[in-house]
Amino acid sequence: MTSTHTAVERAREHAPRMPFAERVPEFYRAMVRLETAAAKDVDPVLYHLIKIRASQINHCAFCVDMHSKDALAEGESVERIVQLSAWEESRHFYTERELAALALTEAVTVLTDGFVPDEVYALAAAHFEETELARVIAAIVTINAWNRIGVTTRMTPGHYEPGAP
């Protein structure tokens, strides 16, 4: 028995609105430095989860693509990345620390009612000592800034390759 595969015509890829890094190179370089500072001493596995989840929430397809590929290249499982969009229903894929960081990521990213709920902050504070928690917050803030750039300038997903210059 053979199967016949027909080519499926995909939707046209959108073009970016502008080459952001070229238009404001000093700002872009500052963002890269911010990213480096935010990543310092944060568990890389946790940092990838934070970046992917915030990017999902913000609908930043470029960042979802980039950070999922980076996480996979560094050994993260496809299963954990796929389940990340439904992490609350897939808790058993993650550690308690990761769950606390994901809850904080959602609260900071969405800012429901204009603030981060005390119980979400307290849960994170219970799993991270104060400097670690500050670094997690820095990571969340940084990816949210990148997401706003990516979404506003319509950076195109699908072309990023980990380790490429």
Side-chain angles (χ1 to χ4, degrees):
M1 182 171 165
T2 61
S3 63
T4 306
H5 294 281
T6 57
V8 176
E9 188 174 331
R10 294 184 180 184
R12 185 180 62 80
E13 180 178 283
H14 68 74
R17 288 180 171 153
M18 74 163 69
F20 186 80
E22 292 174 23
R23 297 296 175 257
V24 287
E26 65 288 342
F27 178 85
Y28 190 83
R29 285 190 301 272
M31 282 295 300
V32 170
R33 287 191 307 275
L34 182 64
E35 174 76 26
T36 301
K40 183 177 174 10
D41 297 327
V42 176
D43 172 19
V45 172
L46 182 64
Y47 200 34
H48 286 306
L49 295 176
I50 289 168
K51 290 191 288 188
I52 295 165
R53 185 62 192 132
S55 299
Q56 290 172 336
I57 294 166
N58 289 323
H59 303 278
C60 186
F62 179 85
C63 291
V64 169
D65 177 60
M66 171 189 275
H67 301 304
S68 295
K69 287 175 178 175
D70 283 344
L72 288 167
E74 292 182 25
E76 183 58 84
S77 73
V78 170
E79 189 172 52
R80 280 174 34 106
I81 293 172
V82 169
Q83 291 301 317
L84 198 50
S85 64
W87 67 270
E88 290 174 299
E89 292 79 28
S90 304
R91 297 176 59 83
H92 60 285
F93 288 98
Y94 308 100
T95 68
E96 291 298 325
R97 278 172 59 93
E98 290 168 343
L99 291 168
L102 290 171
L104 187 61
T105 298
E106 294 217 0
V108 172
T109 300
V110 177
L111 287 178
T112 304
D113 297 325
F115 62 92
V116 173
D118 290 339
E119 62 273 10
V120 172
Y121 186 88
L123 178 63
H127 288 281
F128 298 93
E129 60 89 14
E130 197 168 73
T131 299
E132 284 181 301
L133 182 55
R135 292 191 185 287
V136 167
I137 293 167
I140 296 167
V141 168
T142 302
I143 189 56
N144 272 280
W146 279 120
N147 290 163
R148 269 95 178 133
I149 293 166
V151 170
T152 304
T153 63
R154 294 191 74 186
M155 294 175 72
T156 308
H159 304 284
Y160 174 79
E161 293 189 28

